[in-house]
Amino acid sequence: MTFEVMRPKYVGARVQRKEDPRLLSGSGRYAADVQPTRALHVAILRSDYAHALIRSINLDLARAMPGVIDVIDGEALASELKPLYATSRMPGYKPTALWPLARDRVRYVGEPVVAVVATDRYLAEDARAAIQIEYAALPAVTDANLSLTAQSDFLHPEHGSNLLVSRNFSRGNIEQAISEAFRVVSGQYRFTRTTPVAIEPRAYTAEWDRRLARLTLHSATQAPGIIRDALAEVLELNGPSIRVLAADVGGGFGGKVSLYPEEVIVCFLAQKLTRSVKYVSDRQEDLISTTQAFDQTVKAEMALDSSGRILGIRASILGDAGAYSIYPWTAALEPMQIAGFLPGPYQVPSYEADVQVVATNKTPSGPYRGVGRPGACFILERLIDKAAKEFGIDPLEFRRKNLVQPDQFPYKTGSGIVWDKSGFIECLDLAAEVIDYTTLKDNRDAAKAAGRWFGIGIASYAELTGLGSRMSAAPGMPINTGTESASVEIDATGSVIATFGTASIGQGLETTLAQIVADEIGVRPEDVTIVHGDSAAITHSTGSYASRSTVLAGGAAHKAGKEVREKLLKAAGFLMDCELLELEIEDGVVRQPATNKVLSFKDIGRAVYSEMGRFPLALRQELDLRATSFYDPEFGTTTSATHIATVDIDPETFEVRVLRYVAAEDCGRVINPQIVEGQVQGGVAQGIGVALMEEVIHDPQGQIFTASLVDYLVPSAAEVPSIEAVHLEAFAAGTIGGYRGMGEGGTIGAPAAVANAIADALSHLNIDITELPATPERLFRLVTTANQEKA
């Protein structure tokens, strides 16, 4: 496979992150850091029932307490606002009304019921404790299977069932593939519920400008544009009347890309009271009310011919959406992504997947890093390993046999996704080379002979990144997530400013975008000022998620930067009285090498904007040194990778230790290797957490058992090994700049790689890992059952 590799001056270099000086010195400005004068504070009374009717609410005692400005419940808010619906053109989809405060009934523990506004947070919380609510408990449903078959007590009675959406994906003849198969491997797989646990809990500060009748929301969000548009609809304001700012965001991982009730509440109260209003969640609130993820059960089977080639895959997917279909992504998001990506990077001639998504009395489910692909990869890679074992073929060779080959691109999967050319085989080979797979197998066999529970796990995957409008329109959501814009300008002082609608959530976006603009314009990255996270700064943007920011915003930056460069050269050529081809730009200086004449950007900026006589009028009108460009890649581009992990299991405590981890990834042209490696390492760390310990647990009554970081475990440095990230710089010919997204890949491949390594370590007991996380308790039960069956 031959790849085009381009090496500009800054794209590809290990440029130090522009944002680090302020973040590492404590000078960052997060939503909770915004301290308006005379700000009011909100405390939310949340439901402690998973499912109940609201019989009565008594607010009198709370309203009479010192410092309390206002107390509102769902009925009061409903008289002022209209609900929001996450809509979809998907046939049979049933939207749910999204009210900021519960009306008539509550549907999950932690649902907002009453908002208290006081002069400080402590008084607001004191008043919250004085609110009296009478509930009439209803049966709670926390099991998706029971929710699907329920005949009464529906969460949303207007729908007549708890089924929110169903869909079928089909290609080829799966019945024939299974009936004619030499072997069929199958299993039922469970990906339990998790939550993002960003280091910064959700926080919102709303300011109302009485003079201009404008609302500004400082939000810990990944998607300022989405939130602005949603608030405009709910509050019935026009776009210019609302500004959403996300200056610094302490991690998102998908949990901060949806509209939350608290955002609507603080904005409504700020407008009503003409005061600044602030809400900051504590960790417990964050764990019970931030959207959660995964929670699917999948029955899957894979048909194979006598040589071990895949003939087809059939799956039945049951997704647990929680209580509501979230805005704007809908309840369909995660389960449909599993169905869409389940064929993975393999040749699968026949495919069928049935998807059903139900409502349950749990926190609403939403995006999480990888969005469905971690589950799809786990299921598929477990089936691949089982099939390899059935045929007695090495797992790596089995993958090489079935992966889409270099001459088969573009390749259309059974779910309709089209893979453009990517290094499927090359990533597999590169990971095997880096980890020295042959020697590793010998070491594994020696360790097992000595009685150790030691295993090797491989996971290969592919994902679509930088999705364009045609792909983003497929789910029928009410927003266009497939377009991004960039504005680049040189001002009168010669400074370069680049403005984007995306938000920086810790991924180094300011640095990578500055590198792109610097190469296009001809300056240093440190000379580029990046403006981002401001809905008022750009005409349209939806934010940072789905591995889209670099591909889409970077592509728009290339287009805008190129246009500004052309204007700059045109101005310099006139001032120097020479042809454009005679000029070159470097480090903010335009030079004519033949004469050694130079003009700085400052010289040119001053001439264009301030010195009226330097250009003829007609030329001056062409030389505003700015440009705005939109970029829509239409479909997106394919990112692929292979992960290889080794684990050791303690046979007494059943603790799993990840010993070594290699990730070989094709993320296209690498802008900043240092940032890419950090993204891979962070993603793998999260994936290890998903594989081994992270799990939101509800009891049958819907009470949450994991509402603190004592009970909800996340990996620390002790559980995460040194991760070896290697890159295959396969230039993505279908995108401007040749970039592929890569922010989610670590989390996609890690659960599957670790699960396969655990299964390999326990192969002497013939144990199948079908549920994640593989906690010590689960492994203990699996091993105990296996030993009993052997006995």
Side-chain angles (χ1 to χ4, degrees):
M1 191 175 194
T2 302
F3 297 111
E4 178 187 352
V5 180
M6 299 178 67
R7 297 288 183 187
K9 185 173 182 178
Y10 293 111
V11 169
R14 291 178 175 270
V15 173
Q16 290 299 308
R17 292 182 12 141
K18 288 169 62 69
E19 47 272 78
D20 280 354
R22 73 169 186 275
L23 299 180
L24 297 177
S25 65
S27 301
R29 192 168 192 255
Y30 299 90
D33 293 325
V34 178
Q35 302 287 352
T37 305
R38 298 177 61 244
L40 301 175
H41 296 259
V42 172
I44 304 293
L45 178 63
R46 300 178 183 277
S47 170
D48 48 14
Y49 283 81
H51 200 193
L53 297 175
I54 300 174
R55 292 299 191 197
S56 66
I57 300 178
N58 189 331
L59 306 176
D60 294 342
L61 289 175
R63 283 179 171 147
M65 292 184 70
V68 173
I69 304 299
D70 201 358
V71 185
I72 56 170
D73 61 13
E75 290 303 322
L77 208 57
S79 66
E80 304 278 354
L81 303 176
K82 62 180 183 179
L84 196 65
Y85 291 87
T87 59
S88 173
R89 294 186 298 276
M90 194 177 298
Y93 167 76
K94 300 172 183 176
T96 59
L98 298 171
W99 294 98
L101 294 170
R103 299 180 63 213
D104 304 326
R105 71 169 67 197
V106 292
R107 294 176 174 86
Y108 66 95
V109 171
E111 181 170 7
V113 181
V114 179
V116 181
V117 194
T119 52
D120 70 42
R121 177 173 176 168
Y122 304 103
L123 293 175
E125 291 182 355
D126 289 344
R128 179 180 63 187
I131 296 170
Q132 299 170 327
I133 301 180
E134 180 186 352
Y135 291 104
L138 295 170
V141 57
T142 58
D143 183 293
N145 284 289
L146 295 178
S147 179
L148 184 63
T149 58
Q151 299 299 309
S152 61
D153 297 314
F154 304 127
L155 273 74
H156 303 278
E158 66 273 17
H159 292 322
S161 79
N162 286 327
L163 182 66
L164 298 180
V165 63
S166 62
R167 189 176 176 184
N168 177 268
F169 294 80
S170 182
R171 183 188 182 197
N173 190 331
I174 190 63
E175 294 293 344
Q176 180 180 349
I178 290 174
S179 65
E180 295 179 357
F182 180 75
R183 287 276 191 280
V184 175
V185 295
S186 62
Q188 177 169 301
Y189 298 95
R190 176 97 170 90
F191 221 57
T192 60
R193 184 167 278 242
T194 192
T195 189
V197 197
I199 194 170
E200 175 204 22
R202 293 186 297 108
Y204 313 108
T205 301
E207 299 180 275
W208 178 257
D209 186 328
R210 282 186 286 182
R211 184 177 67 87
L212 299 175
R214 289 182 183 172
L215 180 70
T216 298
L217 174 66
H218 303 268
S219 177
T221 182
Q222 299 172 232
I226 289 176
I227 303 306
R228 191 276 305 272
D229 293 350
L231 290 173
E233 182 174 345
V234 172
L235 301 174
E236 297 184 302
L237 295 171
N238 59 37
S241 298
I242 304 176
R243 182 185 188 189
V244 179
L245 291 169
D248 289 314
V249 180
F253 314 122
K256 294 177 181 174
V257 77
S258 308
L259 178 73
Y260 281 93
E262 296 87 354
E263 288 172 295
V264 179
I265 290 167
V266 297
C267 289
F268 168 77
L269 289 170
Q271 185 181 17
K272 176 187 177 184
L273 303 173
T274 66
R275 294 272 297 275
S276 297
V277 178
K278 183 172 185 175
Y279 166 79
V280 179
S281 72
D282 59 28
R283 183 57 70 184
Q284 183 182 58
E285 283 184 293
D286 212 57
L287 286 169
I288 67 174
S289 65
T290 295
T291 57
Q292 296 166 359
F294 305 147
D295 211 353
Q296 290 95 29
T297 300
V298 180
K299 296 177 182 178
E301 53 188 339
M302 176 186 288
L304 302 111
D305 67 15
S306 58
S307 70
R309 291 194 179 275
I310 299 171
L311 296 174
I313 295 173
R314 179 164 61 190
S316 175
I317 301 163
L318 179 60
D320 184 333
Y324 295 97
S325 191
I326 61 159
Y327 186 89
W329 313 108
T330 80
L333 178 68
E334 180 91 21
M336 294 301 175
Q337 290 275 57
I338 288 182
F341 287 95
L342 189 56
Y346 299 98
Q347 303 170 58
V348 181
S350 295
Y351 177 66
E352 183 175 85
D354 286 303
V355 185
Q356 293 179 303
V357 187
V358 295
T360 63
N361 294 114
K362 299 177 185 175
T363 304
S365 178
Y368 180 92
R369 197 172 190 174
V371 192
R373 285 156 286 178
C377 185
F378 164 60
I379 297 156
L380 177 62
E381 292 299 298
R382 286 300 304 128
L383 291 174
I384 290 287
D385 264 24
K386 289 179 73 171
K389 187 175 181 179
E390 284 274 338
F391 282 86
I393 300 174
D394 178 84
L396 189 138
E397 293 306 319
F398 191 89
R399 285 170 171 80
R400 181 177 284 112
K401 176 194 288 280
N402 283 287
L403 284 168
V404 175
Q405 301 298 302
D407 61 353
Q408 292 180 299
F409 293 107
Y411 184 88
K412 188 173 184 178
T413 71
S415 62
I417 291 172
V418 177
W419 302 132
D420 61 330
K421 194 172 187 180
S422 185
F424 291 9
I425 295 289
E426 292 78 5
C427 285
L428 181 74
D429 291 340
L430 183 57
E433 177 187 341
V434 170
I435 207 165
D436 191 358
Y437 184 68
T438 301
T439 302
L440 185 62
K441 288 194 298 178
D442 293 339
N443 293 341
R444 185 264 319 270
D445 295 342
K448 286 194 169 188
R452 286 177 60 195
W453 292 2
F454 180 89
I456 304 169
I458 306 173
S460 295
Y461 70 85
E463 57 169 331
L464 275 184
T465 63
L467 298 182
S469 58
R470 288 190 63 178
M471 283 302 300
S472 69
M477 291 186 298
I479 59 172
N480 173 19
T481 64
T483 303
E484 270 303 328
S485 59
S487 291
V488 178
E489 64 181 271
I490 299 172
D491 68 11
T493 70
S495 300
V496 179
I497 304 103
T499 304
F500 302 89
T502 51
S504 184
I505 52 177
Q507 78 277 50
L509 191 61
E510 290 177 47
T511 305
T512 53
L513 292 177
Q515 288 177 257
I516 293 171
V517 173
D519 271 339
E520 285 293 341
I521 299 289
V523 293
R524 301 172 304 171
E526 56 264 38
D527 296 329
V528 180
T529 298
I530 299 293
V531 178
H532 64 88
D534 183 350
S535 68
I538 209 83
T539 303
H540 173 266
S541 173
T542 58
S544 295
Y545 53 89
S547 300
R548 70 190 293 276
S549 298
T550 297
V551 178
L552 272 67
H558 272 289
K559 293 174 67 178
K562 182 178 180 180
E563 186 176 342
V564 170
R565 180 188 178 94
E566 290 172 354
K567 291 181 177 182
L568 185 74
L569 287 171
K570 191 171 185 179
F574 181 85
L575 293 171
M576 292 182 178
D577 192 23
C578 66
E579 297 294 327
L580 271 59
L581 293 177
E582 299 176 28
L583 300 176
E584 60 183 35
I585 306 176
E586 186 175 13
D587 294 343
V589 173
V590 181
R591 177 178 288 104
Q592 184 186 21
T595 64
N596 215 24
K597 289 181 181 178
V598 296
L599 281 174
S600 69
F601 280 22
K602 185 176 182 178
D603 296 331
I604 300 170
R606 184 171 58 244
V608 168
Y609 294 113
S610 302
E611 298 174 350
M612 298 298 103
R614 299 294 297 274
F615 299 96
L617 180 60
L619 183 58
R620 281 188 61 238
Q621 291 174 342
E622 300 176 16
L623 290 182
D624 60 313
L625 303 177
R626 54 190 156 196
T628 297
S629 292
F630 288 82
Y631 180 49
D632 180 352
E634 192 174 9
F635 289 103
T637 188
T638 305
T639 296
S640 58
T642 290
H643 293 200
I644 302 180
T646 65
V647 305
D648 187 271
I649 304 174
D650 187 320
E652 294 185 359
T653 66
F654 299 95
E655 176 191 9
V656 177
R657 291 182 301 147
V658 182
L659 302 177
R660 194 171 175 202
Y661 203 103
V662 168
E665 186 157 18
D666 170 13
C667 64
R669 185 176 174 190
V670 173
I671 299 172
N672 189 318
Q674 183 171 263
I675 288 176
V676 170
E677 287 156 14
Q679 286 286 287
V680 172
Q681 290 165 0
V684 169
Q686 281 190 289
I688 288 173
V690 167
L692 299 180
M693 61 192 71
E694 294 192 44
E695 181 177 7
V696 176
I697 299 173
H698 294 81
D699 73 3
Q701 287 71 48
Q703 294 297 325
I704 186 168
F705 284 176
T706 50
S708 77
L709 292 181
V710 173
D711 303 299
Y712 187 90
L713 302 180
V714 295
S716 69
E719 287 79 39
V720 180
S722 177
I723 296 157
E724 302 166 70
V726 289
H727 311 296
L728 187 76
E729 286 201 63
F731 186 84
T735 65
I736 295 177
Y739 312 127
R740 308 179 196 269
M742 49 70 55
E744 300 171 280
T747 312
I748 295 170
V754 172
N756 281 345
I758 294 171
D760 186 43
L762 300 176
S763 60
H764 60 290
L765 296 171
N766 200 31
I767 285 175
D768 187 9
I769 301 300
T770 61
E771 186 172 20
L772 293 182
T775 61
E777 179 187 2
R778 285 196 174 102
L779 294 180
F780 166 76
R781 294 181 185 279
L782 288 171
V783 170
T784 300
T785 299
N787 284 331
Q788 289 173 346
E789 290 175 353
K790 286 182 69 175

